Amino acid sequence: MRILRQSILVSLALVALVASAQTPRHPSQPEISTAIQPEAWQLFQLANRSRAQAKAAPLTWDAALAVAARRHCLRMAAEGLNIAHQYPGEPDVSERAKQAGARFSLIEENVAIAADPTAIHNAWMNSPHHRENLMNPDVDRVGIAVVAGRYGLYAVADYERAVPMLTQDEVEGKIAELLRSSGVNLLPDAAASRAACASDSGMPRSSSGPQPRFVLRWQGADLTDLQHALAVKIVSGQYRQAAIGSCPTQGQQGAFTAYRIAVLFY
């Protein structure tokens, strides 16, 4: 039996265009760096202030997302009033974030032109789609970039639900904790379960020792809760022992981060 789980969402907000009345300026071309711009930091603080008022958890600054946001923001400034989430020859927001080093299971983006950070934030908060992205309780990190251009300040905010970078042992350890708390005894040898993980289907067979009675495979980013199918098998009481294996993901994951896991029940 093969179980595949993913939590993937790409939400691209409608463009918030707020015309600036200030004197046009030429777009700047600073080097991409991890230094936080004062205007970007102001937008970050305004976002967390609004989230706090709504009792949503605060966002954490993500340097990789900020790099991705700045690359796109520079492109927007070069395009003038034609602001968008993607231009010809440019990757989409998920691929831009991945190329910058971000790891995520959900990603969203807001863009705007306005006279100052307060006007940008107010524009996002007064646009249903942008507000939904900024206030989304399912995102926990943000990277923001602001570039001065011909028509005002160009802004990009990339929001994500971050996925930690874990080793094979760490992934297996996370699932092991959940199984132990459910009363399942774990077998120490992960060779068979790792081999089962790497296989697309079928029941693994051992040349020695007990034979597994059931195998459950899935891919996903959330390692904090048992998969429903896994929980059902445990509750059934048919299985007292299990072995856990992790391996590289299979199939098309795109830019999104996921882990692949197999559990052998005995």
Side-chain angles (χ1 to χ4, degrees), residues 26-49:
H26 295 291
S28 58
Q29 295 293 333
E31 293 182 0
I32 301 297
S33 73
T34 57
I36 302 177
Q37 305 162 276
E39 297 87 354
W41 188 251
Q42 186 177 345
L43 282 171
F44 174 67
Q45 292 178 312
L46 288 169
N48 274 338
R49 189 178 304 164

Side-chain angles (χ1 to χ4, degrees), residues 2 10 53 60 88 97 102 110 123 132 142 169 180 187 196 210 230 232 241 249 251 264:
R2 185 183 182 196
V10 181
Q53 291 171 353
T60 299
N110 282 351
E132 182 180 357
V142 66
D169 288 339
R180 287 193 190 96
L187 300 178
L230 184 58
V232 168
Q241 293 183 315
T249 56
L264 303 183

Side-chain angles (χ1 to χ4, degrees), residues 95-141:
E95 188 62 32
R96 294 195 302 267
K98 179 184 178 181
Q99 291 175 0
R103 295 169 57 87
F104 49 87
S105 59
L106 179 157
I107 190 162
E108 304 172 336
E109 181 174 84
N110 282 351
V111 299
I113 308 173
D116 55 62
T118 299
I120 292 168
H121 177 73
N122 289 340
W124 286 343
M125 290 297 290
N126 287 313
S127 165
H129 292 285
H130 290 80
R131 181 187 177 92
E132 182 180 357
N133 286 347
L134 193 154
M135 303 294 286
N136 189 348
D138 292 329
V139 299
D140 53 17
R141 294 192 183 185

Side-chain angles (χ1 to χ4, degrees), residues 156-250:
V156 176
D158 289 340
Y159 312 90
E160 73 176 7
R161 183 168 189 83
V163 176
M165 183 179 295
L166 301 176
T167 66
Q168 184 180 43
D169 288 339
E170 288 172 334
V171 172
E172 293 168 357
K174 292 283 187 182
I175 303 301
E177 291 176 8
L178 297 175
L179 290 177
R180 287 193 190 96
S181 65
S182 300
V184 177
N185 295 322
L186 298 179
L187 300 178
D189 188 359
S193 51
R194 288 178 176 177
C197 181
S199 174
D200 186 54
S201 61
M203 179 71 73
R205 294 296 176 184
S206 175
S207 58
S208 61
Q211 299 295 327
R213 298 165 56 199
F214 185 85
V215 58
L216 186 65
R217 301 176 179 89
W218 76 93
Q219 293 182 176
D222 186 5
L223 302 180
T224 63
D225 196 11
L226 288 175
Q227 297 287 311
H228 175 72
L230 184 58
V232 168
K233 290 298 177 183
I234 294 171
V235 171
S236 71
Q238 300 179 61
Y239 310 104
R240 299 297 182 184
Q241 293 183 315
I244 304 165
S246 176
C247 62
T249 56
Q250 297 183 9

Side-chain angles (χ1 to χ4, degrees), residues 50-64:
S50 294
R51 288 174 67 91
Q53 291 171 353
K55 301 188 184 307
L59 298 171
T60 299
W61 183 267
D62 189 284

